[in-house]
């Protein structure tokens, strides 16, 4: 959803009550602000930094029946500046999940393949927690919300070139990094995710947040493709409104494009690992079955 900041208070209409809202100032050099209904409004984490969650007063002040409300915080409501928000609906009121060895708090939308999960790490290799989707997650973003510094975002992605033998970092440009310390070389199941003992994902006594996505036709698709250095058509089975791309075999920035900001020869991109404003001219288009890139 697009909106223009007013420096005061305003409500943004999404058409449903979100459980996860990601906001970026399109023209300003500002951080990516992420909020969810489990951690509570005004509790922000940042995709381009390793910061622990912190209270941002007058930022996202409430999740509403048809959207969300904002205060005067310039990070999300800078006067006269264009902003974009990406919003996902989980399951509303969270519930306790005891499927794993570690109890989790889950808000899950099984039909759409999306859940928000909060759990407490125990530092134990092989620990598991329930994700609530009843189908195997294909993409999960993890952040230790109590710690900063070297506590990077960890990303699990189930593709032919990534998987449970390693990870990507949402806040870094690194390619796929092989290590068993994050997921214990164990793929998620339809009920639980397995953890290694790394403190960034399973720090003993630390609170963690996980955003989980399962590929559900018409909602989302996680996959991989090989570059051609020329026009390339990617098939996912439906027409998307949002794509996130990351090169996995070497370093490269994360890229987000969406239908709201415009596609085609002058498509606009934002970068989850950077505070930079958006850039245009990406020559990417959505099709009835996927997307094309130049």
């Amino acid at each position: 959803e697009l909106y223009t900041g007013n420096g005061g208070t305003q409500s943004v209409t999404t058409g449903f009550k979100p459980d996860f809202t990601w906001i970026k100032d399109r023209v300003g050099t500002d951080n990516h602000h992420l909020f969810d209904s489990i951690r509570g409004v005004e509790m922000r984490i940042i995709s381009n930094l390793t910061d622990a969650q912190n209270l941002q007063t007058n930022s996202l002040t409430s999740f509403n029946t048809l959207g969300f409300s904002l205060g005067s915080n310039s990070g999300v409501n800078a006067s006269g500046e264009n902003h974009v928000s990406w919003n996902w609906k989980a399951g509303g009121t969270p519930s306790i999940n005891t499927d794993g060895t570690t109890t989790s708090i889950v808000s899950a939308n099984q039909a759409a393949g999306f859940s928000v999960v909060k759990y407490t790490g125990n530092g134990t290799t092989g620990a598991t927690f329930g994700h609530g989707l009843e189908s195997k997650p294909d993409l999960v973003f993890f952040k230790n919300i109590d710690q900063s510094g070297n506590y990077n975002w960890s990303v699990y992605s189930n593709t032919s070139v990534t998987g449970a033998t390693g990870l990507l970092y949402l806040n870094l440009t690194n390619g796929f990094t092989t290590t068993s310390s994050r997921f214990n070389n164990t793929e998620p199941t339809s009920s639980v995710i397995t953890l290694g003992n790394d403190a960034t994902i399973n720090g003993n006594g630390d609170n963690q947040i996980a955003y989980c996505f399962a590929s559900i036709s018409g909602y989302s698709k996680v996959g991989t493709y090989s570059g051609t250095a020329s026009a390339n058509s990617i098939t996912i089975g439906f027409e998307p409104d949002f794509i996130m791309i990351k090169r996995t075999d070497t370093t490269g920035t994360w890229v987000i494009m969406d239908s709201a900001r415009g596609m085609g020869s002058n498509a606009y991109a934002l970068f989850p690992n950077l505070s930079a404003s958006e850039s245009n001219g990406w020559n990417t288009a959505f099709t009835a079955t996927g997307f094309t890139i130049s």
Side-chain angles (χ1 to χ4, degrees), residues 105-208:
I105 302 172
V106 178
S107 176
N109 184 344
Q110 295 167 355
F114 173 65
S115 67
V116 180
V117 183
K118 184 180 178 183
Y119 64 95
T120 301
N122 60 18
T124 302
T125 298
T128 59
F129 69 87
H131 52 71
L133 290 179
E134 295 189 353
S135 57
K136 181 179 176 180
D138 293 307
L139 178 71
V140 188
F141 300 111
F142 296 84
K143 181 66 180 79
N144 184 321
I145 58 177
D146 288 343
Q147 303 291 343
S148 302
N150 294 324
Y151 286 75
N152 296 302
W153 285 79
S154 297
V155 181
Y156 167 79
S157 52
N158 178 32
T159 78
S160 60
V161 295
T162 58
T165 60
L167 76 158
L168 296 163
Y169 301 95
L170 183 60
N171 58 294
L172 300 175
T173 62
N174 300 44
F176 183 72
T177 302
T178 301
T179 174
S180 62
S181 67
R182 296 307 194 284
F183 310 116
N184 199 35
N185 294 334
T186 305
E187 293 186 1
T189 70
S190 59
S191 59
V192 300
I193 293 172
T194 300
L195 303 173
N197 63 358
D198 193 280
T200 60
I201 197 171
N202 193 19
N204 188 28
D206 287 345
N207 291 307
Q208 319 273 342

Side-chain angles (χ1 to χ4, degrees), residues 215-262:
S215 293
I216 303 291
S217 182
Y219 287 95
S220 63
K221 173 66 176 178
V222 178
T224 186
Y225 64 89
S226 295
T228 62
S230 61
N232 200 356
S233 181
I234 313 302
T235 299
I236 65 170
F238 60 91
E239 182 173 352
D241 283 302
F242 171 99
I243 54 172
M244 177 185 284
I245 300 171
K246 175 69 178 77
R247 184 167 179 174
T248 58
D249 59 344
T250 188
T251 58
T253 192
W254 293 77
V255 179
I256 290 176
M257 287 175 276
D258 59 71
S259 59
R261 290 180 298 132

Side-chain angles (χ1 to χ4, degrees), residues 32-90:
H32 294 253
H33 297 249
L34 281 62
F35 306 90
D36 64 72
S37 60
I38 288 184
R39 292 183 300 112
V41 296
E42 296 192 317
M43 296 303 295
R44 179 194 67 174
I45 47 178
I46 301 170
S47 69
N48 54 290
L49 297 176
T50 64
D51 292 13
Q53 72 171 1
N54 57 52
L55 178 65
Q56 285 289 294
T57 58
N58 296 316
S59 55
L60 192 150
T61 56
S62 66
F63 290 108
N64 306 328
T65 302
L66 295 176
F68 57 89
S69 293
L70 299 171
S72 58
N73 189 294
S74 61
V76 297
N77 197 16
S79 181
E81 296 194 357
N82 294 325
H83 297 72
V84 61
S85 72
W86 302 299
N87 304 274
W88 288 265
K89 180 178 176 57

Side-chain angles (χ1 to χ4, degrees), residues 254-278:
W254 293 77
V255 179
I256 290 176
M257 287 175 276
D258 59 71
S259 59
R261 290 180 298 132
M263 302 297 291
S265 60
N266 202 34
Y268 286 84
L270 281 163
F271 316 100
N273 57 292
L274 299 173
S275 63
S277 60
E278 68 184 3

